[in-house]
Amino acid sequence: PDPDAPVLFIEFQINGQPFQALNGGPYFTFNEAISFAIECADQAELDYYWDTLIADGGAPSECGWLKDKYGVSWQVIPTALPWLQEQQ
C-alpha cells in the first residue's frame, strides 16, 4: 500500500464503542448529518469537553453544537437538557 494514499476505510473506538468510517470520495461528502453527542453531568464537565473539542482549530456554534478541528460535529449538552425542555 502507498503510505501517501488517502485512507478508504478505518475502524476505531471511542470510549469502547466501535465505529467504522468510509471515505466516500467526492460523491459522499462529510457534513452535519453525522454528529456525536456528549451528555455532561455538570458545567465543569461540559466546559472541559467544549474547550477540548474547539481547541486547535475547532469552531463553536449555537445550542451546544460545535465542530472539532477535523470538521466533525458534536453536541455537548447537559444530561438534564431533556428534562429542562419538558419544563417549558
Side-chain angles (χ1 to χ4, degrees):
D2 180 357
D4 296 324
V7 173
L8 296 179
F9 178 81
I10 188 170
E11 294 179 308
F12 60 99
Q13 289 187 11
I14 299 176
N15 286 338
Q17 177 67 40
F19 292 90
Q20 298 177 340
L22 177 67
N23 180 345
Y27 302 109
F28 299 100
T29 58
F30 195 72
N31 61 45
E32 290 83 2
I34 299 295
S35 66
F36 293 102
I38 302 173
E39 292 187 359
C40 301
D42 56 34
Q43 188 67 45
E45 184 180 23
L46 193 145
D47 291 343
Y48 168 79
Y49 284 111
W50 185 271
D51 294 340
T52 300
L53 288 166
I54 63 169
D56 300 323
S61 188
E62 298 176 354
C63 300
W65 286 81
L66 61 87
K67 284 191 179 181
D68 66 19
K69 64 182 178 181
Y70 303 106
V72 176
S73 292
W74 293 82
Q75 302 169 61
V76 183
I77 58 173
T79 303
L81 184 61
W83 180 83
L84 293 169
Q85 291 173 324
E86 289 175 5
Q87 303 309 306
Q88 294 185 6

